[in-house]
Amino acid sequence: MSKRIDVSDLDIYYSDFLAVKGVTMAIEPRSVTALIGPSGCGKSTFLRTLNRMHEVIPGARVEGKAVMDGVDLYGAGVDPVEVRRQIGMVFQRPNPFPTMSIRENVLAGVKLNNRRLPKSAADELVEASLRGANLWNEVKDRLDKPGSGLSGGQQQRLCIARAIAVQPQVLLMDEPCSALDPISTLAIEDLISELKADYTIVIVTHNMQQASRVSDRTGFFNLEATGKPGQLVEMDDTT
Ligand code: ADP
Ligand code: ADP
């Protein structure tokens, strides 16, 4: 698990509006890359294109390349559903499916990908994914209760469990702590540092301290030029 992504000369449009311009970035396996920049400079837009989520947004389109271990993610014949299976996404607001149990939430992505598992294999996957998300001990006695009954931080770890259950190579996280309290934030940061052993991680954050705590490299978008298309102006090793 864990693959590299090489982005080159990526432009991202919403219809005629150029939202992100000319991004070139190497994202190493088993590393955490943080993306920082002012609101509206295109960080979410950039993240969404890495797993072809932009294709569900009307008018959104991409020019340039993103290559994962030699495979052109935008290449003809590449299935966007498979791209999204290999490149998982976690959003700002924890979004477990409210009518589903904790267990069903973990398996939701697996079902979307049309994998049918025998019950024992499903049980093992649920446990492994929840352990992987540092949530198992807190929920093991309530797997059939709704995911929406958990605290915000637990819900976010449930969303991470759902993302890793489909065994992706890469995890994209769009401000995963912005809706959380400080204690839950630290739990997610610890988790990100652990997940780095198995996944390539890209995290959008507006928090410099967070970037320095969790990331190996930081990409800065539009340090001064607000109102311009999003551009990667600097890529530094995080100190
Ligand atoms: P950030 O994540 O850095 O705050 P976004 O990627 O959300 O920035 O937005 C970048 C720019 O693209 C902004 O000008 C925003 O208004 C615009 N934008 C974002 N999503 C859409 C969309 N679905 N349609 C049109 N414009 C959008
Ligand atoms: P967040 O701050 O949580 O990243 P936003 O409030 O920027 O989200 O955007 C919420 C939703 O609206 C997103 O799906 C984004 O793509 C869309 N959006 C943002 N800006 C625009 C825009 N200018 N036109 C159309 N949709 C937009």
Side-chain angles (χ1 to χ4, degrees), residues 14 44 48 57 92-93 174:
Y14 291 107
S44 295
R48 282 196 294 253
I57 299 171
Q92 176 171 351
R93 257 177 276 295
D174 194 348

Side-chain angles (χ1 to χ4, degrees), residues 125-138:
L125 183 62
V126 167
E127 178 170 346
S129 304
L130 288 168
R131 282 190 189 281
N134 289 347
L135 188 59
W136 174 250
N137 286 335
E138 291 160 63

Side-chain angles (χ1 to χ4, degrees), residues 219-232:
F220 295 89
F221 282 70
N222 296 33
L223 282 179
E224 282 155 19
T226 50
K228 298 247 173 71
Q231 281 186 284
L232 180 67

Side-chain angles (χ1 to χ4, degrees), residues 26-174:
I27 301 166
E28 303 290 335
R30 298 193 170 79
S31 74
V32 179
T33 300
L35 305 179
I36 281 224
S39 196
C41 72
K43 304 177 300 295
S44 295
T45 295
F46 174 73
L47 206 66
R48 282 196 294 253
T49 61
L50 292 181
N51 74 350
R52 294 182 62 158
M53 282 275 289
H54 65 284
E55 276 165 67
V56 297
I57 299 171
R61 76 192 155 83
V62 160
E63 287 173 13
K65 271 196 167 180
V67 176
M68 181 168 73
D69 272 15
V71 176
D72 180 353
L73 293 174
Y74 310 129
V78 173
D79 179 2
V81 175
E82 177 59 17
V83 172
R84 284 175 214 135
R85 193 195 67 72
Q86 294 205 33
I87 305 180
M89 185 99 162
V90 175
F91 297 93
Q92 176 171 351
R93 257 177 276 295
N95 59 350
F97 297 110
T99 60
M100 289 186 191
S101 68
I102 291 169
R103 177 190 153 81
E104 288 166 334
N105 262 288
V106 176
L107 294 172
V110 179
K111 299 229 161 105
L112 272 180
N113 284 283
N114 286 322
R115 278 174 60 201
R116 279 183 206 292
L117 296 175
K119 175 146 189 341
S120 60
D123 287 345
E124 276 171 34
L125 183 62
V126 167
E127 178 170 346
S129 304
L130 288 168
R131 282 190 189 281
N134 289 347
L135 188 59
W136 174 250
N137 286 335
E138 291 160 63
V139 302
K140 63 182 180 211
D141 298 324
R142 52 194 288 202
L143 294 177
D144 293 316
K145 299 261 159 49
S148 52
L150 300 174
S151 74
Q154 288 174 324
Q155 288 188 25
Q156 193 61 301
R157 280 178 282 142
L158 177 58
C159 293
I160 292 171
R162 180 176 65 192
I164 64 182
V166 297
Q167 294 162 325
Q169 310 288 335
V170 178
L171 286 175
L172 308 176
M173 301 187 173
D174 194 348

